[in-house]
Amino acid sequence: MKVLGFNFFNRPARTVAKELLGKIFVRNFRGKIFTGRVVETEAYLGSEDPASHAGNGLTKRNSVMFGKPGVAYIYLCYGFHFMMNVVTDKEGLAGAVLLRGVEPLSGLKGKVPNGPGKLAKAFKLGKKENRLSLVPKNGIYFAEDGYKDFKIVITGRIGIKEGQNMPLRYYIEGNKYVSKTGRRK
DNA sequence: TTACCGATCGCA
DNA sequence: GCGATCGGTAAA
């Protein structure tokens, strides 16, 4: 099993979002290991994407999206829910991939993180983990185990105003752990 | 300093 | 269909 490194994330958000499907998300929380297979992602771009946090230029919050790839961008939304993103694209260029759904593999004890909010909660991700680098020493990283026998479906993103949506959502066809709200067309 | 609102979820 | 609840952002 190979850990995904800097070069994997140092590419356009669309590419990373697509290739992250089927990979394994690993979270080491105080000695406990949580793992899950990535089954659903969304890509967020920079200035060309009005739905992205980075769509209106650089601010304090989104500055991490302009920084080094392979860094966690975790944001509190609607006052309740954290969203787990991975920064992509080379430094200076905004881009991120949102994790919307994973299939639980180990350490998740019956939890079904089918949705970005629940996912972050199940993996114990919060404000503290924002801006952490996805280098194994920080306890958050992605790994590759050769799983690639699946079909990728591309649709519009979820929760985005009409008119500024783009087909940047990727998921594994037929997977039970793709979020339900996300399954609608 | 204040007012507004969002990449959501669970319950009715 | 709606309310919960908080931090970033822009305007004053």
Side-chain angles (χ1 to χ4, degrees), chain A residues 54-158:
Chain A
N56 273 330
L58 180 83
T59 66
K60 210 177 200 172
R61 172 177 57 175
N62 67 30
S63 63
V64 56
M65 288 179 72
F66 290 82
K68 284 209 232 327
V71 171
Y73 172 38
I74 299 173
Y75 168 66
L76 176 67
C77 185
Y78 296 109
F80 298 87
H81 305 291
F82 288 103
M83 316 240 187
M84 168 70 194
N85 300 255
V86 190
V87 177
T88 64
D89 285 283
K90 62 186 171 194
E91 190 161 5
L93 206 59
V97 173
L98 167 68
L99 256 60
R100 287 193 59 88
V102 303
E103 172 182 345
L105 291 180
S106 73
L108 292 174
K109 218 171 131 182
K111 288 187 181 120
V112 185
N114 57 339
K118 289 197 289 187
L119 185 153
K121 198 169 157 199
F123 280 89
K124 301 266 193 283
L125 295 167
K127 211 167 40 180
K128 295 188 300 288
E129 282 74 23
N130 192 19
R131 292 165 185 269
L132 268 191
S133 172
L134 298 189
V135 177
K137 50 179 89 137
N138 286 323
I140 309 177
Y141 58 96
F142 289 93
E144 143 97 85
D145 70 348
Y147 178 80
K148 56 179 198 290
D149 185 23
F150 54 82
K151 199 171 160 194
I152 294 174
V153 183
I154 305 176
T155 68
R157 289 171 297 181
I158 311 299

